[in-house]
Amino acid sequence: MPPLMELEEAMASILPSQEFQRELHGLLHDYAGRETPLTFCPALSEELGFELWLKREDLLHTGAHKINNTLGQALLARHMGKTALIAETGAGQHGVATAAAAARLGMKCTVFMGAEDMERQSANVRRMRLMGADVVAVESGSRTLKDAINAALRAWISLQGSTHYCFGTAAGPYPFPDLVREFQSVIGREARAQMLEKTGALPDAVVAAVGGGSNAIGMFSPFVPDASVRLFGVEAGGTGEAGCLHSAAVNLGRPGVLHGEYTMLLQDENGQILPSGSISAGLDYPGVGPEHAHLAATGRVEYGIAYDHEALSAFQKLCRMEGILPALESSHALAFVLEHRQRFAPGSRVLVNLSGRGDKDMDIVEKALGLQAV
Amino acid sequence: MHILEENIRAAGAAGRTALIPFVTAGFPSRERFWDILRELDESGADVMEIGVPFSDPVADGPVVEEASQRVLAEGVSLGALLEGLKARRGLFRAGLVLMGYTNPFLQYGWERLAAEAAAAGVHGFIVPDLPWDEAADIRALLAAHALALIPLVGPNTPKERMQLYADVSEGYVYVVSVMGTTGERDHLPAEVPEVLSRVREVFRLPVALGFGLRSPEQLAALPDAVRPDAAVFGSALLRHLDRGGSPADFLRRWRS
Ligand SMILES: Cc1ncc(COP(=O)(O)O)c(C=O)c1O
């Protein structure tokens, strides 16, 4: 596809330039709030018997790691001469981050969002609109993230001359998985240096939630060459009963092709893509970035599962014990550590990517906990 | 000469634009679909494109997407389509082309698909989400069964790319009239004549124009020198069929 070739060329020619890197650094530092802190969790560490450290992407502007990628892509698009951005969004976090980047850089912005997601993440819809984005409801298919991607890809085919498709995760057609990893790797680079500075050593384990895989690949990739560091990706297992909807493409999917990538997918025996499910809208996707499929196949990263109720209890625990309100996506990563605590040696150092803050999830959490309490 | 090319050339020799209707497999209902194929064939279709449904058809507009969702909900599958075609092998005058997305074909197995499709009387495939750089092996597999892999070119396909396609393709070249998805448009984009003439310079294959065709008048408006050899129409036909219209009525307007 010609616009993908154009993007690949722009990556090679524009990204390495000093001017681009200087501008991006300025945006990340002065606008988005990098670098983000590395926070030690004293109370939880005491309970667990090992050190728990959090990389605080929740403290970034717009509330999640997504802004690392949208500022990078928006700046690249502007250097390419594009005047408009389109994006898909599931939870709305990537949509909000794209809307913010577009407003900041003076670009037009259109966000495609599944009609069902617009209902369950209405606050983010309002935030996008306040920042000047058009939010288009996608009514086709399962009315969630994968259908929003379909709609955005279709729109991009028509609008490619003026418009960049700001893809939200480390998946989709090449070169998006590489481009998004490039912009998200700042998470792992900072965290690695901060761990060395604060503890004098690398962490023993690094844990991140995996939806499409952008916060996880951004965290993992600088650690991949460090053989002593165990890496864990955590997929959403849904409600957990037999046959439930889930989003565990690496664990429970099969290889196939969707949105121009060959990767692990939830699909039926005829190759039709199956609906996914999770209490966390940001993890609710039937595929995963191809690099995660590869890291799973080589065994460098281990992929586990956390269920809705485990994520909810991790969410509460972090609120009460550390005064941090995590996104439900990030709560899955934390839940894996809490549920599988015996897998981490006493005294070891475990680093969790806290990819976002949970304000957006208040309604969902209260509703779920209200139901549970009865 | 590949049989798909022969069919289109034969229409040209008779002074006609060849007609290529597109119907989603199992549409508008599983029973009616087979009658519709027969009626299209009898009413003068030169090639028939059968859409293999996929849950996420990104190259398609709303009409084809909805048709796909509907037939999937009714349990239409690639395997059943191939069986149905095999049972009717030899009944159709028109060439048969399957248009579908990579994943259902990949899961079926390209090798098995090629063998079974050939045995079912299919002559070619169109796979809009199959990247060129990965198509070579599949083209060879299909060619071993005399199946053509039809190239798609659009307004933004660079000439050097077209030349790569032209060097290895058979059957016909499918020119996508719009930068966009399938579905009717009132007017063809202004650059279509220029795109068609570029395609003519590069390809010696017959040229089929599709995506966005609604009525024969759209073709009549094109300059003679670039008039395509074949016209493909899908969404307009699907809507006609869904309203209970007959294939014969639809094709009659295009035959003149
Ligand atoms: C806070 C947060 N974490 C994680 C994700 C999942 O995406 P990814 O796997 O690309 O990091 C999202 C997606 O919306 C998110 O908002």
Side-chain angles (χ1 to χ4, degrees):
Chain A
M1 231 176 109
L4 294 170
M5 296 191 278
E6 186 189 350
L7 184 58
E8 195 180 340
E9 279 170 29
M11 269 176 76
S13 61
I14 298 170
L15 280 199
S17 79
Q18 270 193 359
E19 185 196 353
F20 180 88
Q21 290 297 333
R22 190 175 38 73
E23 282 179 79
L24 179 59
H25 181 266
L27 283 167
L28 290 174
H29 186 271
D30 302 332
Y31 177 69
R34 299 214 74 92
E35 78 180 13
T36 59
L38 180 76
T39 301
F40 178 67
C41 296
L44 267 172
S45 297
E46 179 158 340
E47 179 188 306
L48 291 165
F50 51 80
E51 291 179 25
L52 180 68
W53 296 81
L54 302 177
K55 178 61 174 163
R56 300 295 305 283
E57 297 298 297
D58 60 314
L59 293 177
L60 280 175
H61 177 45
T62 68
H65 69 290
K66 298 288 183 186
I67 192 97
N68 300 325
N69 173 45
T70 62
L71 286 172
Q73 287 199 43
L75 190 62
L76 179 63
R78 215 174 61 172
H79 278 261
M80 290 167 73
K82 308 288 177 188
T83 54
L85 299 176
I86 57 173
E88 83 294 344
T89 195
Q93 288 304 107
H94 174 60
V96 171
T98 307
R104 172 74 191 195
L105 294 179
M107 303 174 85
K108 263 187 56 147
C109 180
T110 306
V111 179
F112 295 86
M113 188 167 188
E116 177 167 334
D117 289 332
M118 284 179 73
E119 284 155 29
R120 55 180 173 173
Q121 300 284 345
S122 62
N124 274 340
V125 176
R126 302 206 300 275
R127 294 165 77 198
M128 285 182 255
R129 288 187 170 143
L130 282 170
M131 291 190 273
D134 269 334
V135 184
V136 178
V138 178
E139 298 281 358
S140 59
S142 59
R143 304 165 81 231
T144 60
L145 178 58
K146 99 181 155 60
D147 308 283
I149 295 175
N150 294 343
L153 283 170
R154 289 181 181 123
W156 197 31
I157 298 173
S158 308
L159 303 171
Q160 54 189 263
S162 62
T163 301
H164 173 70
Y165 181 7
C166 184
F167 201 84
T169 189
Y174 183 80
F176 283 117
D178 287 7
L179 181 64
V180 176
R181 183 199 50 227
E182 184 72 27
F183 290 135
Q184 292 293 3
S185 293
V186 66
I187 304 173
R189 281 197 305 272
E190 281 180 12
R192 192 175 179 283
Q194 289 167 316
M195 285 299 290
L196 285 171
E197 186 194 305
K198 289 196 190 238
T199 72
L202 290 173
D204 298 293
V206 176
V207 186
V210 179
S214 70
N215 87 86
I217 207 69
M219 179 57 121
F220 293 163
S221 60
F223 288 104
V224 165
D226 299 318
S228 70
V229 181
R230 291 194 297 158
L231 303 174
F232 295 91
V234 183
E235 299 194 299
T239 48
E241 76 278 5
C244 73
L245 292 181
H246 60 81
S247 307
V250 175
N251 279 282
L252 303 171
R254 281 186 296 122
V257 175
L258 175 68
H259 298 146
E261 54 180 324
Y262 180 75
T263 187
M264 298 296 279
L265 297 174
L266 307 182
Q267 57 181 318
D268 71 12
E269 69 282 4
N270 295 320
Q272 306 298 339
I273 306 308
L274 292 169
S276 54
S278 170
I279 191 169
S280 145
L283 301 181
D284 193 347
Y285 179 60
V288 65
E291 197 167 351
H292 287 290
H294 173 73
L295 288 167
T298 63
R300 178 63 187 96
V301 179
E302 187 180 322
Y303 292 83
I305 290 180
Y307 298 98
D308 289 356
H309 66 276
E310 296 173 343
L312 278 168
S313 95
F315 175 100
Q316 288 172 284
K317 220 167 176 128
L318 197 67
C319 287
R320 295 232 185 95
M321 295 179 70
E322 305 290 347
I324 296 171
L325 200 161
L328 278 174
E329 291 79 13
S330 326
S331 301
H332 281 71
L334 189 63
F336 181 83
V337 174
L338 299 178
E339 300 292 329
H340 301 272
R341 55 184 72 184
Q342 73 289 350
R343 299 194 53 187
F344 304 96
S348 62
R349 283 173 298 270
V350 176
L351 168 63
V352 169
N353 192 19
L354 205 76
S355 56
R357 67 174 186 234
D359 308 51
K360 70 185 174 61
D361 296 319
M362 300 283 293
D363 292 347
I364 295 168
V365 169
E366 280 169 3
K367 202 168 140 201
L369 294 178
L371 291 176
Q372 275 186 348
V374 205
Chain B
M1 190 184 289
H2 192 274
I3 184 158
L4 293 170
E5 179 171 357
E6 266 174 33
N7 281 18
I8 295 171
R9 297 263 183 241
R16 292 191 295 114
T17 304
L19 300 181
I20 310 188
F22 167 97
V23 196
T24 302
F27 190 87
S29 68
R30 279 163 88 163
E31 305 75 49
R32 183 87 183 97
F33 169 69
W34 295 111
D35 294 335
I36 281 176
L37 272 195
R38 194 174 37 74
E39 291 166 36
L40 284 169
D41 189 58
E42 287 166 359
S43 312
D46 298 287
V47 172
M48 298 191 286
E49 291 181 0
I50 303 176
V52 177
F54 181 47
S55 50
D56 294 85
V58 289
D60 285 298
V63 174
V64 177
E65 177 174 32
E66 210 206 301
S68 295
Q69 309 279 4
R70 245 169 75 179
V71 305
L72 283 175
E74 286 173 27
V76 171
S77 69
L78 178 56
L81 172 66
L82 291 170
E83 264 176 45
L85 287 173
K86 194 171 174 192
R88 291 164 182 81
R89 180 160 197 181
L91 285 185
F92 304 117
R93 252 192 60 260
L96 291 178
V97 172
L98 301 190
M99 175 160 180
Y101 291 82
T102 303
N103 202 46
F105 294 152
L106 178 71
Q107 301 304 325
Y108 203 79
W110 283 105
E111 193 98 52
R112 172 181 169 212
L113 177 66
E116 293 184 13
V122 172
H123 305 110
F125 281 86
I126 301 174
V127 192
D129 68 338
L130 182 67
W132 165 258
D133 308 299
E134 278 140 48
D137 293 351
I138 290 162
R139 185 179 308 101
L141 254 169
L142 294 176
H145 294 271
L147 295 160
L149 183 62
I150 304 298
L152 286 166
V153 305
N156 62 346
T157 309
K159 212 161 166 182
E160 317 81 70
R161 278 254 139 180
M162 284 195 198
Q163 191 58 55
L164 293 176
Y165 300 166
D167 290 344
V168 295
S169 298
E170 297 186 289
Y172 55 99
V173 49
Y174 192 142
V175 177
V176 172
S177 75
V178 292
M179 303 273 273
T181 52
T182 58
E184 306 153 75
R185 317 293 201 273
D186 288 335
H187 301 286
L188 289 178
E191 73 267 26
V192 165
E194 189 258 317
V195 177
L196 285 168
S197 93
R198 224 171 341 128
V199 171
R200 285 270 186 227
E201 279 170 38
V202 176
F203 285 87
R204 47 142 215 90
L205 290 175
V207 174
L209 183 68
F211 280 41
L213 292 190
R214 144 177 295 173
S215 71
E217 292 76 40
Q218 289 169 309
L219 291 188
L222 291 171
D224 277 344
V226 299
R227 190 81 43 84
D229 303 295
V232 187
F233 31 83
S235 297
L237 174 62
L238 291 180
R239 286 201 308 110
H240 173 83
L241 296 174
D242 202 28
R243 289 193 303 259
S246 80
D249 283 349
F250 191 88
L251 285 198
R252 190 169 306 121
R253 293 187 50 225
W254 287 84
R255 291 212 51 169
S256 42

